[in-house]
């Protein structure tokens, strides 16, 4: 957070079949898995291009606050180039997010719960899907990186920006509620 590459508009990809792009995507996938993340955007590895990768199963409970929680890396992997998001319903949903570029923190972010996203893959084929819930959240979080936006900028209540190490207190409060 604070590096200029994370604050700028990333440029569109001209040639999805470029071998350099394939190398970048492989690097991104490796970084995402190492960091135990659900997704990653190219600016996070200091490449200002419109590429995101993510593994989002159709159904998943709120990612919650558990730093130890392992992400399911058997879920379908998507490489999305030049993504476009269309919000399908005005309803928003809150959920906790973390980000490799904002280490050690979690924040509660409200986002549209029902979207369509489209783009192309590494073969230049069109990808177009409708997503809800956690899947929709991951895609929006990653695509925000391409426009220089980190999740704290999407937060409405900064009292819900917390250290991962303190998340257990919130869990206890939620259990009491
Ligand atoms: Ni992120």
């Amino acid at each position: 957070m604070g590096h200029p590459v994370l604050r700028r508009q990333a440029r569109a990809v001209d040639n999805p079949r470029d071998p350099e792009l394939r190398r970048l995507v492989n690097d991104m996938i490796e970084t995402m898995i190492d960091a135990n993340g659900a997704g990653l955007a190219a600016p996070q590895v200091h490449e200002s291009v419109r590429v995101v990768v993510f593994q989002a199963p159709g159904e998943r409970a709120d990612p919650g606050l558990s730093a130890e929680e392992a992400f399911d890396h058997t879920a379908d992997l998507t490489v999305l180039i030049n993504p476009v998001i269309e919000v399908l319903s005005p309803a928003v949903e809150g959920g906790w997010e973390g980000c490799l570029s904002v280490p050690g923190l979690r924040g509660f972010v409200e986002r549209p719960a029902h979207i369509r996203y489209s783009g192309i893959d590494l073969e230049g084929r069109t990808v177009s899907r409708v997503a809800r819930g956690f899947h929709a959240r991951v895609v929006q979080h990653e695509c925000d990186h391409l426009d220089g936006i980190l999740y704290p900028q999407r937060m409405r209540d900064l009292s819900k920006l917390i250290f991962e190490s303190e998340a257990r207190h919130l869990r206890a409060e939620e259990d009491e509620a």
Side-chain angles (χ1 to χ4, degrees):
M1 179 160 57
H3 192 287
V5 76
L6 291 172
R7 303 184 63 174
R8 70 174 73 113
Q9 286 275 332
R11 68 178 184 278
V13 170
D14 295 326
N15 175 16
R17 293 191 188 80
D18 183 348
E20 283 291 325
L21 184 66
R22 190 169 291 265
R23 267 196 289 279
L24 168 65
V25 164
N26 288 339
D27 183 34
M28 288 169 64
I29 292 168
E30 203 174 297
T31 303
M32 175 180 74
I33 290 171
D34 281 352
N36 197 33
L40 197 82
Q44 296 185 273
V45 292
H46 294 190
E47 290 289 340
S48 192
V49 291
R50 302 190 79 79
V51 181
V52 299
V53 298
F54 54 88
Q55 285 185 297
E59 293 297 324
R60 185 179 188 246
D62 189 291
L65 300 169
S66 167
E68 313 76 39
E69 184 181 52
F71 188 72
D72 176 11
H73 285 291
T74 61
D76 279 352
L77 173 69
T78 300
V79 176
L80 197 60
I81 298 167
N82 299 340
V84 175
I85 290 176
E86 179 191 353
V87 175
L88 296 179
S89 152
V92 297
E93 214 170 66
W96 290 92
E97 299 188 10
C99 182
L100 182 60
S101 303
V102 190
L105 294 171
R106 292 289 169 109
F108 190 80
V109 187
E110 290 180 7
R111 297 186 185 273
H114 190 197
I115 64 167
R116 182 194 310 280
Y117 62 87
S118 53
I120 52 175
D121 67 13
L122 285 168
E123 306 300 329
R125 292 174 300 217
T126 299
V127 177
S128 178
R129 285 187 205 134
V130 171
R132 295 173 188 270
F134 180 69
H135 186 173
R137 174 173 304 282
V138 170
V139 176
Q140 290 173 85
H141 174 118
E142 299 314 330
C143 291
D144 266 355
H145 279 295
L146 307 181
D147 294 325
I149 298 168
L150 298 176
Y151 77 79
Q153 291 162 257
R154 294 287 189 196
M155 293 181 63
R156 293 197 309 151
D157 177 359
L158 286 174
S159 76
K160 291 181 174 174
L161 182 63
I162 66 170
F163 290 115
E164 270 172 3
S165 55
E166 306 296 345
R168 60 203 156 83
H169 300 302
L170 274 194
R171 265 204 302 277
E173 276 175 30
E174 279 167 8
D175 288 346
E176 279 165 24

